C-alpha cells in the first residue's frame, strides 16, 4: 500500500498548497488524481515520490512509515518508487546521453553491472533506438526525451510509479505509447500507479479509478492561482 | 496601414473577400547544420487562409509546425534558408520582406502573435497595464491621458479583468496570463492572428475558454492560424485542419469531416485520431523520421500499414492529401484494420 494520510505540504508553511490531503493506493492499483493546474497536486505527487517532505501528515510505504525524504530516505524506500514529471528537460541532466540518463539510478545505487542488460531491455520497450540512446537531451524531441525519462523511472523496477502530468506536453500518439509502456510494466510487475493530471478523459481511460483533488483535500486552497478566472 | 486608431472598434479593417489574408505557396525551410548537413524542417507547404476563417495546423512536436510559424513571423535563425512565398493580403511576402519591414509593419500590425507560453512572453517586471499601454503607444499612437482608458478597453477585448491590470505576470493564473497575451496580440488590429500552441499546459476548461475566445476574434473577421498538438482544441476551434508530418502537410481537410464523418484520409492522421483517449487510445507504432535523414519516398512509410512499393516514391500533395493510398471518402475502412 501507498498511504498518504492528512498531508499538508508546500513551500511556505504559512500558505501550504496541499492541506490535509489523504489518498491510499493498493498494490497493483492505478489511481488518477485529477485537478486544475496550480492546485497542489504536483506537490502531493512529490510527497508520494519521497521527494518533498510534508509539513504534516504521514506517508506509509508498503507498511513502513517514511521518515526521510530525498536522499534522506532509506535506499529501499527510495528505489521502490519511480517518478516521471511533466517537463523532461527540467529533470534530465543535459550532459548525459539518453543511455546514461536511463542508467543513472542503477549507477547511483551501485548496480552498474545491470546497466547493459537493463538498458537493452528498456530502450526497445519505450521505443528508443541505439542511435537515439547516444544522443544528449538537446539533440532529441520532448517526446523522445520523455521516453528516456520513463525508462529511467522503470530501471530499478519500482513497486510504485508516480506520473505527474507525464504526457501534458506530448501529442496524442506519444501519449498513448507512453501510457502503454507504463501499463505493460504494471501488468508484468504488479506495480501500483499514481497518475496526476488535469485531463479527465485521459485519466479515466488510463486508471482503475480517478479521484478529484477536492475529494482528497481536507480544505481546498483558496489562492488566486487556483481559480481559472483569477 | 490603419489610419486613425480607435480602440473601440473590435474588428480589423473590412477585408476584401476575394484576397486571402494569407497565401502560402511552396514554403520550405531548411537549416544548414555543421558538416554540410541539412535539416528539412518544412517542405513545400501550401495553404490559403481567409478572413473569418480558422485553420489549425496539427502534428507532433518536431513535425515542423512551429518552424513554419517562425518563418511567417520572420523569426527564423540565421542558418535557415527559405523557399516559396507567404503573401499577406496587402501583397507583402513574409519570406522576402526585410527585418525592418517585418518589425515595423508586420509583427503586431499585420500579424498578431498569441504566444506559446504567455507567462514567458510577458515582461516579468512590468504590470499588465504598463505592457498594454506600451504596446498601444507603439502600435496605435495613442498618448496620455487617453492611454489608460484604451488599455482598459484592450484588456476587455480579451476578457482580461480590469481589476487585475496592475498585477505582474507572475501574479496571474495561466488563464489570465493567456488573456493578457491575447490582449496584447489584438491591439494592432492585425487581420491575421497566429496562435502558437496557445493551450499548452492549460486545464481543459481553460483550453476551451481560450479557444472559444480566439474563435470569437475570428468570427469578428480576423483570420486565425492556430498551431497545436491538442486535437481537442483544434476540433473545437477550426474550420479546416492541416496535418503536418515530417515537415510536410499531408492532409488539409474541413474540420467537421476530419473529426467527424468520414474522418481523415491520410493513414497518419487516422492514427493520430485513433490515439486519443476518447477513441482507441492506440499509439501509432514507431516514431517519426529525423528531419535530417528523411527517406526518399513517403516519410510515413515505415509506420504505415498501407505502405507498398508505390510508397517508395514521395506522394505529391494535391491540395487535400499526400498519400498514394488514402482512405477514400465515404468508406468505413480503417488504415489500421
Ligand atoms: S503514401 Fe504510402 S506509406 Fe505514405 S501514408 Fe500513404 S499509404 Fe502510407
Amino acid at each position: 500500500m501507498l498511504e498518504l494520510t492528512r498531508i499538508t505540504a508546500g513551500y511556505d508553511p504559512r500558505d501550504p498548497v496541499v492541506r490535509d490531503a489523504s489518498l491510499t493506493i493498493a498494490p497493483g492499483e492505478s489511481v488518477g488524481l485529477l485537478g486544475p493546474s496550480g492546485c497542489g497536486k504536483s506537490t502531493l505527487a512529490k510527497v508520494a515520490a519521497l521527494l518533498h517532505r510534508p509539513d504534516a501528515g504521514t506517508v506509509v510505504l508498503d507498511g513502513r512509515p517514511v521518515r526521510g525524504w530525498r536522499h534522506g530516505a532509506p535506499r529501499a524506500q527510495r528505489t521502490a518508487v519511480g517518478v516521471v514529471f511533466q517537463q523532461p528537460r527540467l529533470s534530465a541532466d543535459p550532459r548525459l546521453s539518453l543511455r546514461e540518463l536511463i542508467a543513472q539510478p542503477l549507477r547511483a545505487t551501485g548496480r552498474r553491472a545491470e546497466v547493459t542488460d537493463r538498458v537493452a531491455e528498456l530502450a526497445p520497450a519505450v521505443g528508443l533506438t541505439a542511435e537515439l540512446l547516444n544522443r544528449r537531451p538537446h539533440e532529441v524531441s520532448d517526446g523522445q526525451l520523455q521516453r528516456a525519462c520513463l525508462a529511467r523511472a522503470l530501471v530499478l523496477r519500482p513497486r510504485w510509479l508516480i506520473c505527474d502530468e507525464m504526457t501534458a506536453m506530448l501529442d496524442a500518439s506519444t501519449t498513448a505509447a507512453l501510457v502503454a509502456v507504463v501499463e505493460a510494466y504494471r501488468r508484468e510487475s504488479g506495480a501500483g500507479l499514481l497518475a496526476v493530471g488535469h485531463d479527465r478523459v485521459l485519466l479515466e481511460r488510463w486508471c482503475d479509478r480517478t479521484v478529484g483533488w477536492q475529494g482528497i483535500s481536507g480544505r481546498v486552497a483558496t489562492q488566486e492561482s487556483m481559480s481559472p478566472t483569477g | 496601414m490603419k489610419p486613425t486608431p480607435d480602440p473601440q472598434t473590435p474588428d480589423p479593417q473590412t477585408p476584401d473577400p476575394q484576397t486571402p489574408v494569407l497565401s502560402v505557396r511552396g514554403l520550405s525551410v531548411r537549416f544548414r547544420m555543421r558538416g554540410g548537413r541539412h535539416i528539412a524542417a518544412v517542405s513545400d507547404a501550401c495553404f490559403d487562409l481567409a478572413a473569418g476563417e480558422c485553420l489549425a495546423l496539427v502534428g507532433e512536436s518536431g513535425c515542423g509546425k512551429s518552424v513554419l510559424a517562425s518563418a511567417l513571423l520572420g523569426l527564423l535563425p540565421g542558418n535557415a534558408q527559405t523557399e516559396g512565398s507567404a503573401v499577406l493580403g496587402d501583397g507583402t511576402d513574409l519570406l522576402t520582406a526585410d527585418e525592418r519591414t517585418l518589425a515595423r509593419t508586420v509583427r503586431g500590425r499585420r500579424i498578431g502573435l498569441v504566444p506559446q507560453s504567455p507567462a514567458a512572453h510577458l515582461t516579468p517586471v512590468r504590470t499588465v497595464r504598463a505592457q498594454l499601454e506600451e504596446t498601444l503607444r507603439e502600435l496605435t499612437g495613442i498618448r496620455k491621458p487617453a492611454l489608460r482608458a484604451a488599455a482598459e478597453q484592450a484588456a476587455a477585448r480579451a476578457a482580461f479583468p480590469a481589476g487585475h491590470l496592475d498585477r505582474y505576470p507572475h501574479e496571474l493564473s495561466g488563464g489570465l496570463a493567456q488573456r493578457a497575451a491575447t490582449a496584447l496580440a489584438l491591439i494592432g488590429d492585425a487581420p491575421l492572428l497566429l496562435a502558437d500552441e496557445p493551450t499548452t499546459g492549460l486545464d481543459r476548461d481553460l483550453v476551451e475558454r481560450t479557444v472559444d475566445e480566439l474563435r470569437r476574434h475570428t468570427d469578428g473577421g480576423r483570420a486565425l492560424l492556430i498551431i497545436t498538438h491538442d486535437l481537442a482544441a483544434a476540433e473545437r476551434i477550426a474550420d479546416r485542419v492541416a496535418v503536418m508530418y515530417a515537415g510536410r502537410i499531408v492532409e488539409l481537410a474541413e474540420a467537421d469531416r476530419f473529426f467527424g464523418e468520414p474522418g481523415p484520409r491520410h493513414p497518419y492522421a487516422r492514427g493520430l485520431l485513433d490515439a486519443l483517449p476518447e477513441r482507441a487510445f492506440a499509439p501509432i507504432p514507431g516514431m517519426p523520421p529525423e528531419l535530417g535523414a528523411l527517406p526518399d519516398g513517403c516519410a510515413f512509410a515505415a509506420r504505415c500499414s498501407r505502405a507498398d512499393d508505390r510508397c517508395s516514391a514521395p506522394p505529391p500533395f494535391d491540395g487535400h492529401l499526400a498519400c498514394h493510398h488514402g482512405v477514400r471518402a465515404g468508406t468505413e475502412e480503417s488504415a489500421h484494420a
Side-chain angles (χ1 to χ4, degrees):
Chain A
M1 299 274 261
L2 173 56
E3 297 160 274
L4 301 158
T5 310
R6 307 202 63 175
I7 300 289
T8 293
Y11 304 90
D12 175 355
R14 284 163 304 175
D15 187 19
V17 291
V18 180
R19 288 172 199 262
D20 208 12
S22 300
L23 180 65
T24 298
I25 306 175
E29 189 187 23
S30 56
V31 176
L33 174 56
L34 182 70
S37 55
C39 74
K41 63 191 191 300
S42 287
T43 305
L44 188 68
K46 288 204 180 79
V47 171
L50 317 189
L51 294 174
H52 185 98
R53 176 190 293 277
D55 301 328
T58 56
V59 179
V60 178
L61 188 62
D62 300 316
R64 286 174 185 274
V66 175
R67 301 194 203 285
W69 309 85
R70 305 190 72 94
H71 296 294
R75 177 175 292 178
Q77 284 191 331
R78 234 190 311 143
T79 57
V81 186
V83 58
V84 190
F85 297 105
Q86 174 173 357
Q87 301 215 21
R89 307 230 170 250
L90 299 182
S91 62
D93 184 335
R95 295 163 301 182
L96 299 183
S97 68
L98 300 199
R99 183 192 311 283
E100 291 162 335
L101 189 76
I102 296 169
Q104 212 178 19
L106 285 172
R107 291 181 197 281
T109 48
R111 291 159 61 179
R112 278 155 195 280
E114 297 169 49
V115 167
T116 313
D117 285 354
R118 262 322 255 155
V119 174
E121 226 176 309
L122 280 167
V126 298
L128 291 174
T129 60
E131 197 265 327
L132 284 169
L133 288 177
N134 290 329
R135 297 205 202 164
R136 284 171 219 288
H138 72 271
E139 297 167 317
V140 300
S141 69
D142 285 344
Q144 289 164 339
L145 189 54
Q146 193 66 305
R147 287 169 189 265
C149 288
L150 175 55
R152 176 179 60 183
L154 299 179
V155 78
L156 296 178
R157 298 186 182 281
R159 284 192 306 281
W160 301 96
L161 255 182
I162 316 289
C163 297
D164 180 11
E165 296 276 18
M166 175 176 77
T167 62
M169 320 227 334
L170 306 178
D171 65 278
S173 179
T174 309
T175 296
L178 291 193
V179 168
V181 172
V182 168
E183 289 309 297
Y185 172 73
R186 293 195 333 104
R187 266 195 307 277
E188 165 233 325
S189 67
L193 168 73
L194 174 62
V196 173
H198 67 263
D199 185 339
R200 176 185 293 278
V201 180
L202 173 67
L203 291 183
E204 287 183 347
R205 182 74 189 249
W206 181 358
C207 300
D208 298 332
R209 66 184 167 105
T210 300
V211 295
W213 176 249
Q214 308 211 341
I216 68 154
S217 301
R219 196 183 121 208
V220 181
T222 49
Q223 74 205 87
E224 185 268 340
S225 64
M226 262 206 68
S227 146
T229 51
Chain B
M1 292 297 304
K2 226 177 136 54
T4 333
D6 176 4
Q8 288 197 299
T9 310
D11 299 336
Q13 296 160 282
T14 316
D16 176 356
Q18 304 305 315
T19 326
V21 175
L22 174 68
S23 181
V24 173
R25 288 291 173 276
L27 169 57
S28 297
V29 181
R30 244 153 258 276
F31 294 110
R32 256 176 299 114
M33 307 304 281
R34 256 175 297 170
R37 273 196 324 128
H38 279 81
I39 289 183
V42 178
S43 300
D44 205 18
C46 293
F47 61 88
D48 284 339
L49 189 54
E53 188 192 33
C54 170
L55 174 68
L57 191 57
V58 304
E60 56 209 286
S61 74
C63 74
K65 58 192 193 306
S66 290
V67 174
L68 197 154
S70 302
L72 297 180
L73 292 165
L75 296 175
L76 290 170
N79 65 335
Q81 301 166 330
T82 59
E83 266 174 49
S85 62
V87 180
L88 292 179
D90 68 351
T92 308
D93 185 344
L94 298 167
L95 299 187
T96 53
D98 55 72
E99 173 53 30
R100 193 181 147 90
T101 309
L102 290 170
R104 293 201 162 190
T105 70
V106 174
R107 292 196 289 267
R109 291 183 160 90
R110 310 286 315 167
I111 307 180
L113 174 68
V114 181
Q116 173 160 16
S117 42
H121 191 75
L122 299 166
T123 312
V125 296
R126 310 191 53 208
T127 63
V128 174
R129 183 190 302 280
Q131 297 186 51
L132 286 170
E133 289 185 354
E134 182 190 316
T135 305
L136 278 162
R137 257 198 312 270
E138 206 178 289
L139 295 183
T140 68
I142 294 179
R143 294 284 177 269
K144 278 181 184 166
L147 210 47
R148 196 176 168 86
E152 281 167 13
Q153 278 157 356
R157 278 162 79 181
F160 185 93
H164 289 59
L165 277 169
D166 293 310
R167 299 202 179 188
Y168 292 91
H170 72 266
E171 297 174 316
L172 300 175
S173 64
L176 283 190
Q178 185 56 261
R179 288 185 195 182
T182 306
L184 285 168
L186 294 175
I187 283 178
D189 273 338
L192 173 61
L193 284 179
L194 200 162
D196 186 8
E197 299 278 7
T199 62
T200 299
L202 297 184
D203 302 326
R204 185 51 49 195
D205 57 339
L206 265 178
V207 167
E208 294 181 353
R209 211 171 315 177
T210 300
V211 298
D212 289 353
E213 279 167 17
L214 287 171
R215 182 70 232 186
R216 194 162 53 79
H217 300 303
T218 314
D219 293 337
R222 289 182 169 82
L224 171 64
L225 178 61
I226 178 173
I227 291 176
T228 184
H229 70 265
D230 182 342
L231 295 168
E235 177 171 10
R236 195 172 173 97
I237 193 173
D239 298 302
R240 285 187 302 148
V241 186
V243 181
M244 254 184 121
Y245 185 75
R248 285 183 187 273
I249 293 178
V250 295
E251 182 161 2
L252 185 57
E254 300 294 327
D256 50 355
R257 290 175 61 82
F258 183 87
F259 291 108
E261 290 301 322
R265 297 179 59 201
H266 195 280
Y268 170 68
R270 293 188 84 86
L272 210 51
L273 286 194
D274 273 348
L276 287 170
E278 54 269 49
R279 301 196 184 201
F281 205 30
I284 304 167
M287 282 195 281
E290 299 289 326
L291 295 174
L294 290 175
D296 293 332
C298 174
F300 189 60
R303 307 172 74 184
C304 182
S305 62
R306 301 179 151 235
D308 67 9
D309 294 348
R310 277 183 72 192
C311 305
S312 56
F317 181 64
D318 65 5
H320 303 285
L321 184 70
C323 173
H324 294 302
H325 309 287
V327 178
R328 279 187 310 279
T331 62
E332 294 284 287
E333 184 191 9
S334 156
H336 291 273

